[in-house]
Amino acid sequence: MNFIKKCPFFLLLLGTGLLFSVLAIAGKNNVYAAQEYDPVTAPILSVMFTGISDDIYPWQIFTGQTSEVMAQAELPGEEENASMEDGAVSLEEGMKSSQGDTSTEEAGSEDAGKESSVSGNEAGPADGAETASEASEEALPPIEPLRESTRDEYLNHISADIYGDAGVLRAGEYEFSTVDESYFDDAMFIGDSRTVGLRDYTDLSEHGDFFCETSLTIYKVMEEDFKGKGTIEEALANKDYGKIYMMVGINELGRGTTEDFMAEYTRVVQTLHQLEPEAKIIIQGVMRVTGDKNSSDAIYNNSNINARNNAIATLADNQNIFYIDVNEVVCDEEGNLNTDYTFDQIHLLGTYNDLWKQFLMEHGVKNS
């Protein structure tokens, strides 16, 4: 009792730390499954704090509370609710809204030697460039969603496959080329912890520039300050890139609907195209998880991953934007991440990142 009276603050800290550790342990194979954790360098409770920074909160661990809490915390406002009830957000609407947002934000900015695609269209095409009408005639028509996500799917964190495989099939019609490593000298790689592995365990970082962070999401990608490299927008203003590779999406599972994810992904891709109109943007399908993970996790499973991959694949026009899927070389016969290739059912073991690198070298995009 005397110790309690003398050290109440210490006991409070100890109790809080124990509580947070219990929550982190409980969520490690649930809502925090995609968080990287090294017990040698960080305490287990750091998993929870990393999750909170990605808007994944401890109460989402408890199945009985998930639906009610998420309904209060994340349900759209009246206007957004009405749009979800009336119909799904189409690709064309998403592109239009994202163009409006970025053009408003960037209207006052000036970059030496660079023009945004919006202002460039108003001023007239450069020599040899296509006019807006010519480009629109050649552009592939948008692929509309088959339906909208239901409320039950939203509450249960089910990513609805509202696009089917139409986008994947269309993207697959493009004939990719085999390239050498010098091809990546003008490449930018954007991604989460999986792309960190590609950077650390292959020599691609000797050629391209990597803008990747553990737990990065599509919702933070344009605002992230990448440890001494600045933001992506700053990087694109300072250097001309010919290719932009992007793989994010595993950390976003369980948040919102397929429509929400697709709308933000569309906005980011459109912004990248405006900031670097000459670059080829290569969307990479989200890498799947192992069969055990797939069958045991209600959120981080391959059904949810496939649904969101099918959505983002529809952005590929096979002219400026392309879609590739590394799952072709890292998955087993059943379409799950090969258990021999991973140490935690989610990330590739170091040496197997070479499979990813080789896949990229066999899927080069022509300059013209």
Side-chain angles (χ1 to χ4, degrees), residues 243-245 269 272-273 279-283 320-323:
K243 304 104 185 172
I244 301 175
Y245 288 85
V269 169
L272 291 173
H273 180 58
K280 305 297 184 183
I281 299 175
I282 298 94
I283 297 169
N320 300 301
I321 305 168
F322 304 83
Y323 175 81

Side-chain angles (χ1 to χ4, degrees), residues 12-13 20 80 91 122 137 141 154 159 195 264 343 351-352:
L12 177 63
L13 287 177
F20 288 169
E80 293 176 337
L91 171 62
E122 293 175 354
E137 288 177 0
Y154 174 82
S159 296
T195 302
E264 186 63 16
F343 62 94
T351 188
Y352 291 105

Side-chain angles (χ1 to χ4, degrees), residues 14 23 53 88 155 172 247 345:
L14 180 62
L23 290 172
S53 71
L155 293 177
M247 184 198 284
Q345 305 189 71

Side-chain angles (χ1 to χ4, degrees), residues 62-277:
F62 306 105
T63 306
Q65 298 178 2
T66 299
S67 296
E68 295 179 5
V69 173
M70 293 304 294
Q72 294 173 2
E74 294 185 6
L75 274 177
E78 293 182 1
E79 294 181 2
E80 293 176 337
N81 236 355
S83 66
M84 283 185 66
E85 293 171 0
D86 293 339
V89 178
S90 70
L91 171 62
E92 187 174 11
E93 289 169 347
M95 294 293 279
K96 287 180 180 178
S97 65
S98 63
Q99 284 179 338
D101 292 343
T102 52
S103 62
T104 300
E105 294 172 358
E106 296 168 7
S109 65
E110 296 181 359
D111 290 328
K114 291 207 173 190
E115 299 176 352
S116 72
S117 59
V118 176
S119 61
N121 287 341
E122 293 175 354
D127 293 341
E130 292 180 336
T131 64
S133 61
E134 289 172 341
S136 63
E137 288 177 0
E138 294 182 6
L140 296 171
I143 296 175
E144 301 294 340
L146 303 172
R147 64 174 179 87
E148 63 192 51
S149 296
T150 67
R151 183 177 178 83
D152 284 343
E153 288 169 334
Y154 174 82
L155 293 177
N156 290 292
H157 310 295
I158 297 172
S159 296
D161 188 3
I162 60 176
Y163 284 94
D165 60 359
V168 173
L169 293 175
R170 190 170 74 176
E173 294 174 356
Y174 183 81
E175 294 185 7
F176 293 95
S177 304
T178 299
V179 299
D180 60 27
E181 292 176 344
S182 64
Y183 171 84
F184 301 102
D185 289 344
D186 64 349
M188 168 185 281
F189 292 89
I190 301 170
D192 51 35
S193 56
R194 286 162 154 182
T195 302
V196 170
L198 183 68
R199 178 196 67 191
D200 292 347
Y201 294 102
T202 72
D203 58 0
L204 284 178
S205 60
E206 298 176 10
H207 299 275
D209 295 335
F210 279 75
F211 292 78
C212 51
E213 292 287 351
T214 298
S215 301
L216 186 69
T217 68
I218 193 65
Y219 303 102
K220 296 181 178 181
V221 65
M222 296 307 296
E223 289 73 38
E224 184 75 16
D225 191 343
F226 291 90
K227 295 180 181 177
K229 296 182 179 180
T231 65
I232 287 173
E233 183 172 358
E234 291 169 343
L236 293 175
N238 294 325
K239 179 176 177 179
D240 291 327
Y241 290 93
K243 304 104 185 172
I244 301 175
Y245 288 85
M246 183 164 71
M247 184 198 284
V248 292
I250 185 70
N251 297 307
E252 294 86 327
L253 296 179
R255 171 174 175 171
T257 64
T258 307
E259 290 94 328
D260 299 332
F261 177 72
M262 179 61 172
E264 186 63 16
Y265 206 106
T266 300
R267 185 189 72 82
V268 170
V269 169
Q270 183 65 17
T271 300
L272 291 173
H273 180 58
Q274 290 179 340
L275 293 172
E276 196 73 270

